[in-house]
């Protein structure tokens, strides 16, 4: 009798395997939203609230250009009902996993590609898409609406009216941020609206608010690049010619390159930290997108406005 039961169990195993395979293939086993960057994770959580699980791959302080996923995180991508990522080449170490997930049928939203992206205009990245759209609150407001639409379309069990209501409420806060930023920057004379940063990250902000990007210490849109001695000399000459009094550095990046560039100019140049690629832990200055963007606007205004 035991032998007979064993034979029957063995016969049933292929049937079970086929059933599980069919379940995965149709996507019915998928659940929740997976988001690559913590900035986008904050936007998504403000849109969906507690209606579904939101998994954010990049922890506070992560550099999206160099971030790589674990095996467990890679598996989570293919189990998602919706995959939200920045696109435009930002998540360099995650791209192959994103492509594998979408090839298996996971719906994805490349947010940066949907908000009228611009290209880099200078240095090594010139002509390539600029992924740093979040430095422009107007585009972030547009992204919030796009995220809401995709959540309603792809995530089972959410209340569409509540998603739209939460998205509208959050977008109103982003609109207030834009108004506050506009007011802060109105204090900066046109001749002072010049930015030097550690790498090219504020192109969208410059376009929105009328700044000139004089240059970057790392002449690229990626933190993975590095400057040569001639790069530093060229930037030093540009800074000296423009009279820029401040260099803005990512708060998580070492300042030695900017200090070396300042030494090339022979000028007294202040170094002001900004939050650029990532949110921080709560209480460290940029725990949310709204907090990060407001802190940056205030730092830029304070650094460039006449005292």
């Amino acid at each position: 009798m035991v032998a007979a039961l064993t034979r029957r169990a063995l016969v049933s195993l292929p049937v079970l395997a086929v059933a599980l395979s069919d379940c995965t293939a149709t996507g019915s086993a998928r659940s929740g939203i997976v988001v690559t960057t913590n900035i986008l994770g904050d936007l998504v959580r403000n849109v969906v609230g507690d209606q579904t699980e939101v998994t954010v791959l990049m922890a506070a302080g992560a550099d999206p250009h160099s971030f790589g996923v674990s095996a467990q995180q890679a598996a989570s991508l293919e189990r998602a009902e919706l995959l939200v990522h920045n696109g435009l080449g930002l998540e360099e170490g995650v791209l192959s996993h994103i492509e594998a997930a979408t090839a298996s049928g996971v719906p994805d939203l490349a947010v940066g590609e949907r908000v009228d992206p611009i290209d880099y205009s200078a240095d090594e990245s010139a002509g390539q898409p600029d992924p740093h759209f979040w430095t422009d609150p107007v585009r972030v407001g547009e992204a919030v609406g796009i995220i809401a639409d995709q959540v309603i379309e792809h995530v089972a069990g959410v209340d569409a009216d509540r998603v739209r209501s939460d998205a509208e409420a959050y977008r109103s806060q982003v609109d207030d941020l834009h108004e506050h930023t506009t007011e802060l920057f109105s204090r900066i004379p046109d001749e002072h609206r010049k930015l030097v940063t550690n790498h090219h990250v504020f192109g969208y902000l410059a376009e929105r608010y009328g700044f000139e990007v004089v240059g970057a210490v790392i002449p690229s849109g990626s933190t993975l690049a590095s400057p040569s001695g001639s790069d530093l000399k060229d930037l030093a000459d540009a800074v000296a010619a423009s009279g820029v009094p401040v260099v803005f550095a990512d708060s998580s990046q070492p300042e030695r390159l900017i200090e070396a560039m300042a030494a090339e100019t022979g000028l007294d140049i202040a170094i002001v930290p900004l939050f650029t690629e990532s949110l921080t832990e709560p209480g460290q200055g940029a725990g949310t997108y709204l907090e990060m963007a407001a802190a940056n606007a205030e730092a830029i205004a304070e650094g460039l406005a006449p005292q």
Side-chain angles (χ1 to χ4, degrees):
M1 181 175 180
V2 173
L5 287 174
T6 302
R7 285 196 297 272
R8 285 158 60 187
L10 289 173
V11 169
S12 69
L13 285 176
V15 177
L16 177 60
V18 170
L20 290 174
S21 176
D22 289 345
C23 180
T24 302
T26 59
S28 59
R30 296 190 181 117
S31 64
I33 303 171
V34 173
V35 190
T36 54
T37 74
N38 51 55
I39 294 173
L40 284 175
D42 188 44
L43 303 188
V44 171
R45 283 173 170 154
N46 275 281
V47 168
V48 303
D50 60 359
Q51 294 198 65
T52 191
E53 182 180 4
V54 177
T55 301
V56 180
L57 299 183
M58 299 186 195
D63 182 342
H65 295 283
S66 60
F67 178 82
V69 298
S70 66
Q72 182 177 4
Q73 288 175 322
S76 74
L77 294 175
E78 298 194 20
R79 293 194 300 266
E81 289 178 272
L82 178 64
L83 168 57
V84 180
H85 56 110
N86 192 92
L88 303 174
L90 180 74
E91 302 102 329
E92 300 171 57
V94 190
L95 181 57
S96 62
H97 299 286
I98 293 171
E99 291 174 342
T102 57
S104 72
V106 176
D108 79 301
L109 170 61
V111 180
E113 297 173 10
R114 301 281 295 275
V115 291
D116 189 24
I118 63 176
D119 290 341
Y120 293 111
S121 59
D123 295 328
E124 294 177 4
S125 298
Q128 299 175 24
D130 183 344
H132 305 93
F133 76 90
W134 61 86
T135 66
D136 174 11
V138 175
R139 283 181 167 88
V140 170
E142 295 171 1
V144 169
I146 294 167
I147 290 169
D149 290 341
Q150 292 298 299
V151 168
I152 291 169
E153 180 177 351
H154 296 292
V155 180
V158 298
D159 182 328
D161 290 339
R162 183 177 161 194
V163 168
R164 292 191 182 95
S165 176
D166 288 350
E168 289 172 5
Y170 184 65
R171 185 166 185 172
S172 178
Q173 294 182 65
V174 176
D175 291 343
D176 290 344
L177 167 69
H178 169 53
E179 292 180 10
H180 177 60
T181 302
T182 301
E183 193 279 325
L184 284 174
F185 289 167
S186 70
R187 306 172 191 175
I188 306 173
D190 289 345
E191 62 271 21
H192 289 183
R193 289 174 175 250
K194 299 174 182 179
L195 296 175
V196 177
T197 57
N198 65 307
H199 78 291
H200 287 298
V201 68
F202 283 103
Y204 288 91
L205 180 145
E207 179 193 68
R208 178 64 60 191
Y209 299 108
F211 285 82
E212 175 191 356
V213 179
V214 174
V217 177
I218 300 175
S220 171
S222 171
T223 55
L224 301 182
S226 59
S228 65
S230 62
D231 290 331
L232 288 177
K233 183 62 170 64
D234 290 345
L235 181 57
D237 291 344
V239 168
S242 67
V244 173
V246 174
V247 173
F248 297 101
D250 188 291
S251 61
S252 66
Q253 294 287 331
E255 297 178 349
R256 59 183 177 81
L257 293 177
I258 291 177
E259 291 168 348
M261 188 274 298
E264 287 281 351
T265 68
L267 301 174
D268 183 17
I269 298 176
I271 299 172
V272 175
L274 297 179
F275 304 104
T276 59
E277 303 279 9
S278 177
L279 302 183
T280 65
E281 294 287 356
Q284 295 183 6
T288 68
Y289 167 74
L290 294 174
E291 186 179 15
M292 178 186 78
N296 285 344
E298 289 162 9
I300 291 171
E302 183 176 351
L304 295 178
Q307 303 300 312

